[in-house]
Structure formats: structure tokens, C-alpha cells
């Protein structure tokens, strides 16, 4: 087996190890394999969540003192170069005497990047880009959030085929069928936070939990985030959520997203209602659209989306369809913006 093939094999193992870590939270899922001079595996490690040892340190801790000298560390993400709850992984690798570091993707973080440069400056051989495409897909949301300093934002709505999110009397439960609603709960469980406006809380009193088909709570529960200035009743269902709700006035959603990012939230799920969804679209702060279409017609003025700042066809927000799924009698359209508006994110 060639050296490159050995590195790819070990990187795939490192990606498998990374999958043991928590899918949500402030830190990325990272795996590490330490190889000896003959390519044999000396130790393996992965990151188990904020405040625990990073993957490289976890692997090194399984070796006797001096056993890593001259060895190769294969790690899914460039070793970090900053001190947070734990020290820099680049320093830990240097202290252990590692001779070569092979990583998949560079760390885009403003404060955490630079580990590869530090290692090279100390005489360690460094090789990046091994299985970069696979690792980028695996770390997609975290890489996105680290690069922009805000969470990846998904906006979801359910509507009739004529684009209505509710009937004239305001009722909306249920436009879509059980399969579509269960898909929403599954996606909620994969998010770090679920965002709604106070209008939705007052009108629908949602629990904002992620539940299975029998109503039991799923393992993953997003933090409820309520945007708006109107007070909500003391008995609101969201106040009994397993996670403590966060409240923002919602005046500057760019600032809200930055605040959520600082709290470790990397994936935000915007679920209601039309006013809030429209604000995110108008600000250019939507990275993914989940549009559930039911085979029904409602009519009236209760649209799923309101004013998004488009006054002519020339200003329309073009989307790229990622995929379309059939969920029972309903259709799910997953789409993303054709053009990124990341300058909006940095300037607000």
C-alpha cells in the first residue's frame, strides 16, 4: 500500500471516529488516527463535545510517554491553534514529538486557525487536503458557521399549493399530513435552535419540541428562540421546553444570529411565522429553504411569505432546487439561494 493510500484509509477511519461525537454544539466533530513508522495504528481518538479533549489529545492520551515521537497524526480538521476550554492541539502534537500531520480540511475559524502554519514552523511535515471533499460534506454546517460567524439558517414553511399558510380565520393545523409533520420533527432534532416570532407563540402556543410519531421527545431538542417585543403568557407551552428559551427583540436579526453563534449554535431552524421568515429572506440570511406543499387550495390573504423587498421581477430571489421528496400526499421542496449575500451578514 502506498503512503497516500494509507493516509486515505486512515482518514476514512478518522471520519468514522468523528461520527461518534455530538452532531450539534459549538465544536466540530473531529477524529484522529496516530500511525507508527510502518503505518500501523498506534492510537485513535475523537472529540466528545465542548470542554472535553480534542481528538488529537484524546488519541495521544492513549499512548505511553514518548510513544508518539516521530509518528504521523491523521486528523479530519486542521489542528486548532487557540486556547479555549482546552489548549491548542498544535502545541499538544509538538509536545508529543509528532513528526507528520495529515489533515483533511483547513480550520476557517478566525481565532482557531493557524495550526498547520505553527506545526510547519516547528519543523513538522504537514499535508492537507486528504479526502477533503468527504470531510467538507461531513463538516459542512460547522465550516459554514465558523467561516461567517453565524449559524447556518434553514427557513421552513408549510403551505397549500396556492401558497397559503393559513385559512382566513388564522387556523393552520393541519395543512400538511403526518409524514410531512414527522419530517419536520426529525429536522428540528438535528438543529441547535428553533426560531419563531412572538406572533406565532401567541397565535399557536407551540411547544417547539422535537417528537416522534407517538409524541415522545426525541434525543435532540433545539433551543427555542423567541423574537419580538410582545410579552408571552406565563403558561405558554414553550416555557416548559426541555431547553431554556432565549428571547430577543428581533430588531436586528443579524445581531441575533451572531449572539446565537457565540452561544455555540451552529444550525438555526426558522419555523414561524410569515413575518419572521420574510425578514430573514429580505435580509439575505437564508441558506436553505424547506417548503412543504400540501395538495389543497385555501385562497385568501394568509400567505406563507410576505414582503421580502422585491418590487419587480428583476429583483426576484432565484433559488436552486436541491431535491424534491414525496412525503405521503405532500411534497417537500429543498432549495438554496443561487447567489450568496454574505456581505449582508458581515455588515449588519
Amino acid at each position: 500500500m502506498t503512503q497516500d493510500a494509507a493516509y486515505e484509509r486512515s482518514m476514512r477511519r478518522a471520519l468514522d471516529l468523528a461520527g461518534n461525537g455530538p452532531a450539534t454544539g459549538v465544536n466540530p466533530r473531529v477524529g484522529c488516527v496516530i500511525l507508527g513508522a510502518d503505518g500501523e495504528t498506534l492510537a485513535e481518538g475523537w472529540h466528545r463535545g465542548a470542554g472535553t479533549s480534542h481528538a488529537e489529545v484524546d488519541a495521544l492520551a492513549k499512548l505511553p510517554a514518548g510513544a508518539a515521537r516521530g509518528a504521523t497524526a491523521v486528523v479530519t480538521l486542521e489542528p486548532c491553534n487557540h486556547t479555549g476550554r482546552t489548549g491548542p492541539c498544535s502545541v499538544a502534537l509538538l509536545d508529543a514529538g509528532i513528526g507528520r500531520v495529515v489533515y483533511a480540511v483547513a480550520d476557517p475559524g478566525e481565532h482557531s486557525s493557524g495550526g498547520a502554519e505553527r506545526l510547519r514552523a516547528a519543523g513538522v511535515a504537514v499535508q492537507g487536503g486528504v479526502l477533503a471533499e468527504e470531510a467538507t460534506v461531513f463538516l459542512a454546517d460547522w465550516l459554514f458557521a465558523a467561516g461567517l460567524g453565524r449559524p447556518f439558517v434553514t427557513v421552513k414553511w408549510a403551505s397549500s399549493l396556492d401558497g397559503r399558510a393559513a385559512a382566513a380565520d388564522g387556523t393552520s393545523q393541519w395543512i400538511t399530513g403526518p409524514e410531512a409533520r414527522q419530517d419536520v420533527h426529525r429536522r428540528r432534532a438535528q438543529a441547535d435552535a428553533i426560531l419563531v416570532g412572538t406572533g406565532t407563540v401567541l397565535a399557536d402556543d407551540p411547544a417547539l419540541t422535537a417528537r416522534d410519531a407517538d409524541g415522545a421527545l426525541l434525543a435532540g431538542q433545539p433551543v427555542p428562540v423567541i423574537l419580538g417585543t410582545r410579552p408571552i403568557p406565563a403558561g405558554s407551552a414553550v416555557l416548559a421546553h426541555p431547553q431554556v428559551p432565549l428571547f430577543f427583540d428581533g430588531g436586528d436579526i443579524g445581531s441575533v444570529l451572531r449572539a446565537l453563534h457565540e452561544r455555540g449554535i451552529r444550525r438555526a431552524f426558522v419555523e414561524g411565522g410569515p413575518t419572521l421568515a420574510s425578514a430573514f429572506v429580505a435580509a439575505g440570511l437564508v441558506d436553505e429553504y424547506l417548503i412543504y406543499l400540501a395538495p389543497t387550495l385555501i385562497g385568501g390573504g394568509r400567505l406563507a411569505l410576505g414582503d421580502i423587498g422585491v418590487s419587480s421581477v428583476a429583483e426576484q430571489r432565484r433559488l436552486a432546487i436541491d431535491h424534491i421528496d414525496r412525503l405521503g400526499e405532500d411534497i417537500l421542496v429543498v432549495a438554496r439561494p443561487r447567489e450568496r449575500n454574505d456581505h449582508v451578514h458581515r455588515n449588519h
Side-chain angles (χ1 to χ4, degrees), residues 20 25 37 46 49 51 55 67 100 115-116 127 143-144 147 192 216 221 227-228 250 262 272-273 276 293 297 322 330:
N20 293 322
W46 68 88
R100 177 181 292 270
Q127 178 181 346
L143 290 170
F144 180 96
D192 296 311
Q221 291 295 326
L227 279 68
E262 291 174 358
L276 186 62
L293 295 173
L297 302 173
D322 189 65
D330 304 317

Side-chain angles (χ1 to χ4, degrees), residues 185 254 268 282 313 319:
H185 281 279
V313 171
L319 305 180

